[in-house]
């Protein structure tokens, strides 16, 4: 891109996306702000966020468009989340939202309605082009505490080619400072700590209970012994310790959610660990799919520490991940396993199952 080129800034009404828009404008690009209307009611993804985004666009003197995708959000994210929990898995809606909505519907709107093919967002990540391989790469942000590359692993090469991440080289403190220096109205706006769905509902429990019928069932140990009763299997996730309501001489953790039998399986810490897992819907990012196993550092949750593992490619966009040093705790079906080489994202996929050797 060159100065004077057009770019769309995805604006949520938060400080990160607002500073990202200000940065590309400062660099000389002709910026157009676009906000996705995702949900009904108030909240960061609803009227409050849209008002804040509109105010920022006024301050930056850039046009602002609101795209109503409430129906698509319901079908693509809400239904996906509900069906996942109903089926006993812990879905990853942020990754899906990035791929299908922000770099899907929003980018399509930008191209078809505005004639703009480049999108700037407030994600903390970095991207670029590797000439020898001819591939776009994705890498961690400089600020590791805010790095969001885990949630962007599923973007295609075409989507990465359209992506600009102005905050990738900045820390959150620098973002806040710049927002204040620019006088942006959102400079001191509190950061959202939950999914937009959870924020709107008040809690994940409230959100799920509004969509999933509560059925009481058994809490059992790994041998099948009944230890107690749960108030809805969708309230539990693998690795959970608090709120189990059953007593034991040692700490208990959720080992599995057996939705088919409406059971929550609990066990000791070691019973909630696994030596390997299988993943599906694999997306190879900064490298082409290898023909042989590779070594990489794997994260099985957003906040988990990366650990050394062997990635074994499988047919039909699958992979088997074998942890090299020690079993890993709370590997949850529905979450993503994302593998790295240093700072770069090599690939990732959705966890299907885990096991012990």
């Amino acid at each position: 891109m060159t100065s004077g080129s057009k770019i769309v800034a995805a604006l949520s009404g938060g400080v990160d996306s607002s500073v990202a828009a200000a940065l590309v404008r400062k660099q000389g690009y002709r910026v157009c702000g676009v906000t996705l209307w995702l949900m009904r009611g108030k909240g960061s993804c609803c009227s409050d966020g849209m008002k804040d985004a509109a105010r920022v666009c006024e301050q930056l003197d850039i046009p602002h468009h609101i795209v109503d995708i409430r129906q698509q959000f319901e079908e693509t994210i809400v239904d996906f989340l509900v069906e996942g929990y109903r089926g006993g898995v812990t879905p990853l809606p942020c990754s899906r939202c990035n791929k299908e909505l922000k770099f899907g519907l929003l980018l399509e709107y930008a191209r078809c309605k505005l004639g703009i093919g480049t999108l700037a967002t407030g994600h903390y990540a970095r991207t670029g082009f590797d000439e020898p391989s001819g591939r776009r790469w994705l890498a961690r942000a400089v600020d590791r505490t805010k790095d969001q590359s885990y949630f962007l692993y599923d973007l295609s090469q075409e989507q990465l080619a359209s992506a600009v991440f102005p905050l990738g080289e900045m820390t959150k403190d620098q973002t806040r400072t710049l927002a204040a220096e620019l006088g942006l109205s959102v400079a001191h706006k509190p950061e959202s700590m939950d999914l937009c769905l959870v924020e709107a509902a008040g809690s994940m429990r409230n959100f799920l209970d509004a969509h999933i019928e509560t059925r009481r069932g058994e809490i059992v140990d790994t041998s099948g012994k009944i230890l107690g009763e749960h108030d809805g299997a969708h309230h539990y996730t693998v690795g959970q310790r608090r709120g189990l309501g059953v007593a034991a001489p040692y700490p208990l953790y959720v080992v599995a959610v057996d939705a088919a039998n409406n059971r929550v399986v609990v066990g000791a810490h070691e019973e909630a660990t696994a030596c390997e897992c299988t993943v599906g819907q694999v997306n190879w990012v900064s490298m082409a799919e290898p023909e042989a196993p590779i070594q990489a550092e794997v994260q099985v949750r957003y906040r988990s520490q990366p650990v050394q593992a062997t990635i074994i490619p499988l047919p039909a966009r699958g992979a088997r991940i074998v942890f090299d040093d020690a079993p890993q705790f709370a590997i949850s079906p529905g979450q993503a396993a994302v593998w790295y080489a240093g700072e770069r994202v090599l690939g990732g996929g959705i966890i299907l199952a885990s096991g012990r050797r």
Side-chain angles (χ1 to χ4, degrees), residues 268-332:
H269 186 278
E270 60 269 20
E271 293 179 289
T273 65
C275 300
E276 61 181 62
C277 66
T278 55
V279 298
Q281 304 173 49
V282 171
N283 182 49
W284 291 93
V285 186
S286 303
M287 65 176 291
E289 180 177 357
E291 297 181 354
I294 65 168
Q295 297 294 121
E297 297 177 325
V298 178
Q299 279 183 235
V300 293
R301 284 181 181 267
Y302 174 49
R303 290 299 183 188
S304 69
Q305 290 297 312
V307 295
Q308 281 294 131
T310 302
I311 316 297
I312 306 167
L314 298 175
R317 294 182 61 202
R320 178 184 170 210
I321 301 173
V322 180
F323 302 105
D324 294 342
D325 299 324
Q328 296 302 298
F329 178 70
I331 298 177
S332 181

Side-chain angles (χ1 to χ4, degrees), residues 339-354:
W339 44 95
Y340 295 77
E343 299 294 300
R344 291 197 181 184
V345 178
L346 298 183
I350 297 298
I351 298 169
L352 303 176
S354 62

Side-chain angles (χ1 to χ4, degrees), residues 136-167:
R136 295 281 168 177
W137 52 261
L138 175 68
R140 295 188 187 277
V142 167
D143 189 342
R144 287 290 294 269
T145 66
K146 299 300 297 180
D147 173 53
Q148 293 170 297
S149 61
Y150 175 88
F151 294 119
L152 297 166
Y153 84 90
D154 205 25
L155 295 187
S156 68
Q157 286 289 297
E158 181 183 5
Q159 289 171 321
L160 284 174
S162 301
V164 175
F165 302 128
L167 307 186

Side-chain angles (χ1 to χ4, degrees), residues 46-58:
C46 309
S47 58
D48 295 345
M50 288 188 287
K51 290 176 183 176
D52 288 337
R55 175 60 180 148
V56 167
C57 286
E58 288 180 3

